[in-house]
Amino acid sequence: MTILVTGARGSLGGRVLSRLAGAGHPVRGTARDAGALDLPEGAEPAELDVTATGPWPALRGVTELFLYTVRGDAGPFLAAAREAGVRHVVLLSSPAAYDVGEFDQPIGLIHRAMERAVADSGLPHTVVYPSWLATNARRDWGDQLRAEGRIAMAHPDAQVNPVHPDDVAEVAVALLTGTRHRARRLVVTGPASVRQRDLVEVLGKVLGKAIPVDELTREQAIAARPPWLPEDILTTLLDVSAQAVGVPAAVTNTVERVTGHPARPFADWARQAGFTIG
């Protein structure tokens, strides 16, 4: 009765795996290169590519599965998971699969394809939709903070609902280890809708220094695109953030319903994140 966690090197997958191992659950963490895994005590490493043609020895003895969305055909793997006796899948998707401006764009289409594959497999499953992850602040702003001590962005008044990654992980663990909260879909958000410039203000308070915000035009934001971010993805994100200016982001009580505690505020994550400035 093993729980399989794909994407064990990722921020959310790693948190899920650590909590499962810490609670004494038999857990197996996977990556395409198992040698790159650094797992906690009690967790078993395994190599896995869910878009390969098999076989998949990582499925041996697995009863629950935490699954990242992937590009490519996961159908054969999911069929093998069903044959192997997997009883429930927790699929990590994205609100991009249904949100205005994203569901029919590249990110949304990838997540929708994965959701269809899981549904078509016949496996019982819950799709988890984490909102704007607090870790996006490090991804999007960390380099600027360290290099310049200020942040440039388009649409700083766009509203988001930042969710702490630990809350997402705890919801996933509850779904993997118990049946009470299993549903077709769960939208997991932070406790409040806030402007992105307000998040920068929170970071400044945590760091003890005001952080200036420079508002970019759409053209300036595209010109400043980091190499790792495809232009079509960036333009979609810019369209979505433009629509979110002055519009409250949806907030749910999923974290409290499932875990028993309120969703953590963005400031909690910021204090833990180890940002530096200037």
Side-chain angles (χ1 to χ4, degrees):
M1 298 180 66
T2 297
I3 300 173
L4 185 68
V5 176
T6 70
R9 296 178 64 194
S11 174
L12 292 177
R15 283 176 163 84
V16 170
L17 188 141
S18 293
R19 280 164 174 74
L20 290 168
H25 295 285
V27 60
R28 185 176 299 143
T30 75
R32 291 189 178 188
D33 177 8
L37 290 169
D38 182 17
L39 303 183
E41 184 177 354
E44 176 188 354
E47 199 159 282
L48 177 65
D49 178 357
V50 303
T51 63
T53 57
W56 293 280
L59 286 170
R60 173 183 48 82
V62 170
T63 52
E64 277 76 30
L65 169 62
F66 178 78
L67 184 62
Y68 267 85
T69 292
V70 296
R71 296 173 184 260
D73 183 10
F77 168 78
L78 291 166
R82 184 174 180 179
E83 291 181 13
V86 171
R87 300 180 303 204
H88 196 80
V89 176
V90 176
L91 173 64
L92 186 70
S93 188
S94 165
Y98 59 80
D99 261 349
V100 173
E102 291 190 273
F103 74 93
D104 57 351
Q105 297 302 311
I107 297 175
L109 293 172
I110 291 168
H111 286 282
R112 288 170 60 193
M114 192 70 181
E115 290 178 25
R116 281 195 300 271
V118 173
D120 290 347
S121 75
L123 285 162
H125 62 278
T126 301
V127 182
V128 174
Y129 301 98
S131 64
W132 197 92
L133 288 166
T135 50
N136 290 350
R138 185 197 299 278
R139 180 198 67 190
D140 296 342
W141 305 332
D143 289 345
Q144 295 184 62
L145 272 179
R146 286 186 290 271
E148 303 170 23
R150 59 195 304 124
I151 292 173
M153 70 173 82
H155 314 304
D157 292 313
Q159 296 198 38
V160 294
N161 45 8
V163 63
H164 198 298
D166 286 345
D167 285 340
V168 180
E170 289 180 20
V171 168
V173 167
L175 294 169
L176 291 164
T177 59
T179 61
R180 181 179 178 187
H181 299 287
R182 288 178 177 175
R184 184 171 172 227
R185 298 173 179 171
L186 285 179
V187 179
V188 185
T189 78
S193 174
V194 295
R195 300 178 304 171
Q196 293 196 72
R197 70 165 72 248
D198 296 328
L199 299 182
V200 176
E201 184 177 349
V202 171
L203 290 177
K205 290 178 179 177
V206 169
L207 294 168
K209 182 177 179 180
I211 303 171
V213 174
D214 303 316
E215 184 168 359
L216 301 178
T217 66
R218 180 184 178 88
E219 292 72 26
Q220 288 170 330
I222 292 173
R225 177 179 61 87
W228 55 266
L229 182 60
E231 185 170 348
D232 60 342
I233 302 297
L234 174 59
T235 56
T236 298
L237 295 175
L238 289 171
D239 291 341
V240 170
S241 63
Q243 294 180 55
V245 173
V247 179
V251 173
T252 71
N253 66 349
T254 300
V255 171
E256 188 163 10
R257 284 193 298 115
V258 175
T259 70
H261 67 74
R264 297 169 173 91
F266 177 78
D268 281 14
W269 176 82
R271 282 189 286 268
Q272 299 168 7
F275 271 97
T276 57
I277 185 169

